[in-house]
Amino acid sequence: MSAGVLPAVGADREIAVFAREIRRRALRMTSRARSSHIGSAFSCADILAVLYGGLLRVRPQEPGWSGRDRFILSKGHAASALYAALSRRGFFPSEALEAYSGDGSIFCGHASSAVPGVDWSTGSLGHGLPVACGMALAAQLDHRDHRVVALLSDGELDEGSNWEAILFAGHHRLDRLTVIVDCNGLQSLAATEETLRLEPLAAKWQGFGWWVAECDGHDHASLRSVLETARHQSGKPSCILARTVKGRGVDFMENSVLWHYRSAQGAELDSAMTQLE
Amino acid sequence: MRKPFVETLENAAEQNPDIFLITGDLGFGVLEPFARRFPRQFLNAGIAEQSMTALAAGLAREGRVVFTYSIANFSALRPLEFVRNDICGHQANVKIVGLGGGFSYGALGFSHHATEDLAVMSALPGMTVIAPGDDYEARELTRLLAAHSGPAYLRLDCPSAPACARTEVALGRASQLRDGRDVTLVATGAILSECWTASELLSDRGIECRVLSMHTLAPIDRAAIRGAAEQTGGIITVEEHSSKGGLGTAAAEVIADEDLRPQSFLRLGIRNPAECVSGCQDFLRRRHGLDSASIAGRVENLLRTTGRARERAL
Ligand SMILES: [Mg+2]
């Protein structure tokens, strides 16, 4: 890893604070709303911290800036973490998050592009990557240098539409496209390997013509380094298999499908908040 | 109607570099001239309609005016949830082209019969649904769609229907091909030619029909339905489509919503689309009572029945 490629913003300590803030805000949101998917939000909190802590080129005061890097949260059920990251990055004040999942709120339980900074509405799995392919193709045709980043879950790879898009991006050498797979090894009911075996996953993406790297999806320096390398790939789309732990950050939530559904209340909420200090 | 569509789109693509045509690996003998002339505005997405639809939405988000192109069930129904979430949910500027309305591909079997596309597309939020009645309307409506903003579905019938009459074509406004007071025949799509022929047969028998091409099914022309209910002796809708959810249903909704009282109302469509029978388009139209002779017969029966009812009431 060369220090020279790291962005100026987002020193490791700052990113750690960013990630902790994402988790704390997402936890408050889902607990207040008694909504699901906090485990999924924690799983990708570090990835979002690295992206919004400096790596993505965005302008919080100008969310629709045409030169921005596009980001699609294909695992739209982790919207609480995305909204938290956007508020932390300055797209809107953190108080706005109190409306999350509330009556009449734009902060829907699945990612909504009505929220400033959200490029695409998601919620149904298998949509984010093919949409990102369209955006990356437009950038390629127009010789523009912004990137299109899509964050997918591992269970989401069961959806056939992803494999249509993986074939497409490889064929068209969409090198402005980066996919990050949040590989926490779990899906809705059970382990991914028990449900529909994905491994060897890196070999599958490579076989479709992608540049592939694996990293610890909670190690900020490693994530940053691999994302920077991906940014400079030419002639191939890039895929990062971020090995993560579902529920990461709160011991009783880690590696459990229960926290795909349950929201923390009372003593559980207190304990979780304490662990995230 | 494929040729008039592609030729018109070529003209649009020449004037507007944002026009972009994506095929789901179909269009042999039809799309090549477009592909050759506008290689940077053309893409074969492969036999992958879900990804084709989603990436069309992504391209539209970046400023393109995208047309996706395949056989109707493949471009509209196969990727339905992608149409709903990615195109309609984002009001993306994507026009879905569905080839082979109704029994255009009759002999190919049930998989290729487009008999629910209009109902399903009409149910989607913000979707403009178009079924041209003939090549002339196909040309005009393609031109208008290329300049229109937002989601649309364009149903094209495969064999070119014989042209009926010339009227000005406007999105959302039914074209009136002839006027008459005895009854109004409303058609959507190329079944218009059967209605036209039926109106000639009926005229020979002393029954004068108003004939409307309801080429824009959504949003439907409410004024045209109201006019037919108030000025003529009844409304007969004719569609090469399931009798559920298409033109007949849309007309009935207008009648109910606006408390109209047509003297008679009849919906002609396909009652049992899942019947697994092969046959050419003409054969299948006759089998489902959608040929000109059957339509004319139904009109005569209807007028006889409502006439008797009126006499009884007097
Ligand atoms: Mg997972």
Side-chain angles (χ1 to χ4, degrees), chain A residues 103-138:
Chain A
D103 295 343
S105 170
I106 56 169
F107 293 89
C108 300
H110 288 86
S112 166
S113 58
V115 173
V118 178
D119 272 314
W120 202 255
S121 298
T122 49
S124 173
L125 299 171
H127 285 244
L129 176 50
V131 170
C133 283
M135 293 178 172
L137 179 66

Side-chain angles (χ1 to χ4, degrees), chain B residues 69-91:
Chain B
Y69 181 97
S70 190
I71 288 173
N73 290 336
F74 311 157
S75 64
L77 300 195
R78 172 65 168 262
L80 176 58
E81 195 221 27
F82 293 77
V83 175
R84 178 185 181 272
N85 293 9
D86 297 317
I87 296 180
C88 296
H90 295 83
Q91 286 298 293

Side-chain angles (χ1 to χ4, degrees), chain B residues 1-12 21 26-38 67 69 97-100 105 132 134-143 154-161:
Chain B
M1 295 178 188
R2 292 174 300 175
K3 282 227 186 296
F5 161 75
V6 178
E7 285 165 12
T8 309
L9 199 64
E10 276 188 57
N11 293 336
L21 174 61
L26 278 172
F28 181 78
V30 179
L31 297 188
E32 291 88 346
F34 187 101
R36 268 197 303 272
R37 252 184 97 188
F38 305 102
F67 285 75
Y69 181 97
V97 179
L99 302 174
Y105 294 118
D134 59 10
D135 282 357
Y136 174 75
E137 287 189 353
R139 226 175 265 284
E140 287 301 290
L141 291 160
T142 301
R143 186 176 59 78
L154 174 64
R155 180 200 238 210
L156 297 178
D157 287 285
C158 248
S160 296

